[in-house]
């Protein structure tokens, strides 16, 4: 299975990245710091950050 990574998926540009960050914050009721937002370079990193913020990780 191919991993989804920033800049490897044509649709994942800078606007798509910020849309993803906002969607994560809204869906999981978390606030990501600018450093967290910049660190999201893959689905796995996003899932780990959400887990840390929600106590599930």
């Amino acid at each position: 299975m191919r991993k989804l990574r920033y800049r490897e998926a044509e649709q994942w540009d800078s606007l798509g990245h910020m849309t993803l960050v906002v969607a994560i914050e809204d869906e999981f009721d978390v606030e990501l710091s600018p450093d967290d937002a910049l660190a999201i370079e893959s689905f796995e990193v996003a899932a780990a950050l959400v887990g840390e913020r929600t106590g599930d990780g």
Side-chain angles (χ1 to χ4, degrees):
M1 176 196 321
R2 183 170 174 217
K3 294 185 178 184
L4 181 60
R5 299 186 61 81
Y6 182 53
R7 296 191 184 190
E8 290 180 9
E10 186 176 315
Q11 300 86 351
W12 194 346
D13 58 10
S14 58
L15 180 58
H17 187 84
M18 293 312 300
T19 301
L20 175 63
V21 170
V22 170
I24 289 170
E25 290 180 323
D26 289 347
E27 181 67 27
F28 296 99
D29 194 27
V30 296
E31 186 173 331
L32 300 175
S33 71
D35 287 339
D36 289 340
L38 291 174
I40 298 174
E41 61 181 30
S42 68
F43 174 81
E44 292 80 12
V45 171
L49 283 171
V50 169
E52 290 171 11
R53 299 301 176 273
T54 61
D56 292 333

